[in-house]
Amino acid sequence: MGKVGAGGGSPAGLSALLAGAGLLVLCVPGACCGGSCCPQLPPGSAPGWAATPGGFVGRGPRGRAAATPLPLLGRPLFAVAPGDRALSLERAPGTAAFVAMAPRAGRRRRSEAEPGKADRGEGASRSPRGMLRDGGQPGPGTLERDPDKATRFRMEELRLTSTTFALTGDSAHNQAMVHWSGHNSSVILILTKLYDYNLGSITESSLWRSTDYGTTYEKLNDKVGLKTILSYLYVCPTNKRKIMLLTDPEIESSLLISSDEGATYQKYRLNFYIQSLLFHPKQEDWILAYSQDQKLYSSAEFGRRWQLIQEGVVPNRFYWSVMGSNKEPDLVHLEARTIDGHSQYLTCRMQNCTEANRNKPFPGYIDPDSLIVQDDYVFVQLTSGGRPHYYVSYRRNAFAQMKLPKYALPKDMHVISTDENQVFAAVQEWNQNDTYNLYISDTRGVYFTLALENVQSSRGPEGNIMIDLYEVAGIKGMFLANKKIDNQVKTFITYNKGRDWRLLQAPDTDLRGDPVHCLLPYCSLHLHLKVSENPYTSGIIASRDTAPSIIVASGNIGSELSDSDISMFVSSDAGNTWRQIFEEEHSVLYLDQGGVLVAMKHTSLPIRHLWLSFDEGRSWSKYSFTSIPLFVDGVLGEPGEETLIMTVFGHFSHRSEWQLVKVDYKSIFDRRCAEEDYRPWQLHSQGEACIMGAKRVYKKRKSERKCMQGKYAGAMESEPCVCTEADFDCDYGYERHSNGQCLPAFWFNPSSLSKDCSLGQSYLNSTGYRKVVSNNCTDGVREQYTAKPQKCPGKAPRGLRIVTADGKLTAEQGHNVTLMVQLEEGDVQRTLIQVDFGDGVAVSYVNLSSMEDGIKHVYHNVGIFRVTVQVDNGLGSDSAVLYLHVTCPLEHVHLSLPFVTTKNKEVNATAVLWPSQVGTLTYVWWYGNNTEPLITLEGSISFKFTSEGMNTITVQVSAGNAILQDTKSIAVYEEFRSLRLSFSPNLDDYNPDIPEWRRDISRVIKKSLVEATGVPGEHILVAVLPGLPTAAELFVLPYQDPAGESKRSAEDLEQISELLIHKLNQNSVHFELKPGVQILVHAAHLTAAPLVDLTPTHSGSAMLMLLSVVFVGLAVFVIYKFKRRSPPRLDWKTHTLNLF
């Protein structure tokens, strides 16, 4: 079952009771296989859920779609890497190890074996029963009220064959990773580490190897290097003999590779730091490595050599091609970020991923962290108009938008499963907060129908969404879900992929045999469907492909699911009936293909006993597995089908070495089972034998036979059933009413034809029903309910739309924009489509199929273009219009503004842009004491200032998603004087003509004037003008002190002006530009027109203004020469100067 949640994935940091086919497969951070991987965590940190941040899809273990990490407290943490049998253990410093065991929450597997159930009480022991207590003492209520229905406990202590081995010298090590090859291999590898919580790093490591199923171990530190510190252990999923060890990157970045199950190693140095690995699902030597700097590498030699594939790859969003869906096994799917931060879906070959060889299967950008490649499906998400839109590609064909009911309006979506050519998705709709609706799709994953409403959800510590949904292993179409009804959470079960749901019938009796009074629908059995972050609280459920009739879970009986009063329950008939087996939480292990159940109690105390059941939980026998009580850290079972050897990991005290107890269960069996040891059992749902369109009969071992299961275990016979209405679900657009009929929803028009339907062709006309995917029924009502092929009638075009591929109304000048033409109905194969892009270019097409990938066009100018499309098929026509804004990036904004102006005189302010033509813009002006801005579509405004003083003006220019601004200050006075200044010619040699230089020189000139004349600096403003030769404007201002007194009169300004001119004419004003370079300042001419600041980056209109200034200046000069003979005096008229 696939993961649910934006964060989530495979559980890690959870305790695990594991064995064989019932192995709990959890992610070790950084380990990957098949089509998914787990992120790397800092060495020594608590393993957590393999998060897939953001995005809307993912996959993980079967069962609860996501889980929460176990906090790093005084109890162990375990994790198993996918694709191998590695177990990770951890204990915090200074604390005793605690038992921490949780059964596997179900794993994605496919199996034909579905063993069945024994009749109630068959072969059950009649010995007195007692409850398991700490130390194995019988509990209260040992008298059996109903011996046929009560769970029986045999208190006589039996002994299991076991051996114990201590990892001597590693008592300080607080983390361990374990790999058991299995499958006829006796090799077990254990990597132990000391994580220093103060330093935050691994300081020691040891590698151990056993070749006798865990009886003895050899320390291999000398073979990997005595000073080498190892951080992670990886195993090739397709060849268990190939082992990879990763060194601690804080010391060195290297790989140690073994091809003989860890007997010998070769060391290879890396030039990058590995964060996660992804093994190929088929090719044992092919690996993808993700580095800490977001680069993706590939190796075709099992890590011996690496080649860079792509930079900027999104974490956990890279996948190998899926065999069957891709013809090229070396094809890699990945999500990469562009330079400007967008995400793209790319594919390329692992050894030839050049820019020219990369493909972009999805046109345009996608939402970050949204790419998922899973089985035959590829999913991406694209948000436009504030709403997320979800797209799917089936078998690598063109993407199609996923269709939910029209008004579902999803806020969030997570893909749960893609098994059996169908998508199971959890959708949070617009009116939901803590619940999700379950939807199930057609084969292509496009059209979705509702399966169950208001399924309970919660959020993990890492923010990952968890949905209370569990897929039962071994029986296709069977799910358990916790649904919220009137603020009560209840457990429901389905046998036909969500077509029908019902509550769970509570057991008839309790553990002691007393009757349980629980009447449906007011009272029922409720189960916890998650792997808990805390192994001592509720959250235990397990099923196995090799034992499909057996389900073990924790829960309670009552009106709703509760976190208190938790008991353990078992069903041996695939969820039809249930039996209470323990009043406290236990972890249950499946041995011998489910023929034997092993139970260990969750306790913080040391234990030496466990319980075995040979009759599917009806009776239990007490066995000791060690002579000295052990704090149990975890249990790992032998990989394979039979699972008859188990290793218990623990400590005698929190300061002792790791103790490895090998338990061999073979001695408890007398012989291997023969055919006569089995009986038939038929899968059913409340007596209904036809499930998913077939009757399935399994061979189940007789409960009184204590033999080891062999080739007959799980053998199945299947017979198809006659189709009935129960084998069909409502089709897309239809809803099931109280009378059971599927009728059109109010928003759905059943007469709508497919847009691909063309006159003379045929389409499938829905009956309102569609057969449940993977349902095997035949005949009956199949013909009546199956969609009928129907000739396409000629139909005029209707519902024509033209949109951009990314849903935006903007495009960038000089870049391709992809336009999509959409038609709700009409004969499209014989349709003439004419598209006018609005820039003088038009194209024509003869049918819509030739435009499926969109129409690409490049606009060479900016502006608003009217794009029109006309469709005509002879029966009618339709048209649509799109107003497209074509822009180019705005790079710079300069506010052109007078530096000084007169009170109550109109002032012009202009925003000068670079480039000058960028498309549709919005200008936001802030000036004076206004608290509200002025918003215009023009780049110039006029305004007046009614009071004296310094004022600030800011303009913000909005161009698409970019906003640029510039701010200038302007001085306002009733009157002022101004004079043009010139300089020694040598100043031009040092003038770079940039704004920063002009500002600095203006400050130096002002300082020189103040020193030469003694005039207070408050009366003087100097502005160096752009261009060559270098010139400046001097302003004499009527400064007024803060008290409002001593304001200079016109006569005072005249006297200051005369003094300044006198000093300038005497060459008394000068400054040193650099050592040895003196600059003289001269009085040039009176100004008679505004001087506008112009730079080469400004527009042509500004250049015309500069020319006008030059001509007016020449005219003033002539007047001055012929009419003024005396020394120049400052004109009292207001002069304005625009500064850059």
Side-chain angles (χ1 to χ4, degrees), residues 342-406:
H342 293 99
S343 287
Q344 285 184 320
Y345 168 31
L346 305 176
T347 61
C348 63
R349 309 289 287 271
M350 63 176 289
Q351 296 293 321
N352 189 22
C353 195
T354 62
E355 183 67 31
N357 293 323
R358 295 190 189 107
N359 293 317
K360 300 177 182 178
F362 185 83
Y365 299 127
I366 64 176
D367 285 357
D369 302 318
S370 70
L371 172 68
I372 285 293
V373 181
Q374 185 167 314
D375 297 328
D376 286 336
Y377 302 90
V378 179
F379 303 95
V380 296
Q381 175 180 319
L382 177 63
T383 299
S384 62
R387 293 182 183 177
H389 301 279
Y390 307 101
Y391 295 84
V392 61
S393 167
Y394 177 61
R395 293 185 175 176
R396 310 305 180 258
N397 292 315
F399 278 88
Q401 186 170 349
M402 299 164 67
K403 301 291 186 180
L404 294 166
K406 186 174 182 179

Side-chain angles (χ1 to χ4, degrees), residues 712-778:
Y712 298 104
M716 183 187 72
E717 297 176 1
S718 179
E719 175 186 348
C721 296
V722 174
C723 292
T724 66
E725 189 269 343
D727 297 306
F728 290 81
D729 206 347
C730 292
D731 205 351
Y732 175 77
Y734 291 80
E735 298 173 337
R736 191 176 301 279
H737 287 243
S738 57
N739 60 1
Q741 290 185 332
C742 293
L743 301 176
F746 74 93
W747 50 266
F748 183 68
N749 180 13
S751 64
S752 296
L753 304 180
S754 168
K755 70 180 183 67
D756 296 325
C757 188
S758 192
L759 185 64
Q761 296 181 343
S762 298
Y763 73 100
L764 291 177
N765 187 15
S766 176
T767 63
Y769 299 84
R770 70 182 183 196
K771 194 166 78 166
V772 175
V773 174
S774 301
N775 187 292
N776 296 321
C777 73
T778 59

Side-chain angles (χ1 to χ4, degrees), residues 4-6 64-66 68 411-412 414 416 426-429 432-438 453-460 463-469 481-485 488-490 529-530 561:
V4 178
R64 174 129 176 171
T68 52
K411 296 189 297 185
D412 192 23
H414 305 286
I416 298 172
V427 177
Q428 188 172 63
E429 301 186 10
Q432 293 179 304
N433 294 316
D434 59 350
T435 60
Y436 280 71
N437 290 347
L438 297 181
E453 292 182 298
N454 295 321
V455 177
Q456 178 71 9
S457 72
S458 59
R459 189 173 293 275
N464 50 312
I465 298 297
M466 301 178 293
I467 307 297
D468 272 6
L469 180 70
N482 284 331
K483 178 179 179 179
K484 194 171 186 179
I485 305 175
Q488 290 186 326
V489 178
K490 301 175 182 287
L529 306 180
K530 63 181 179 180
L561 183 65

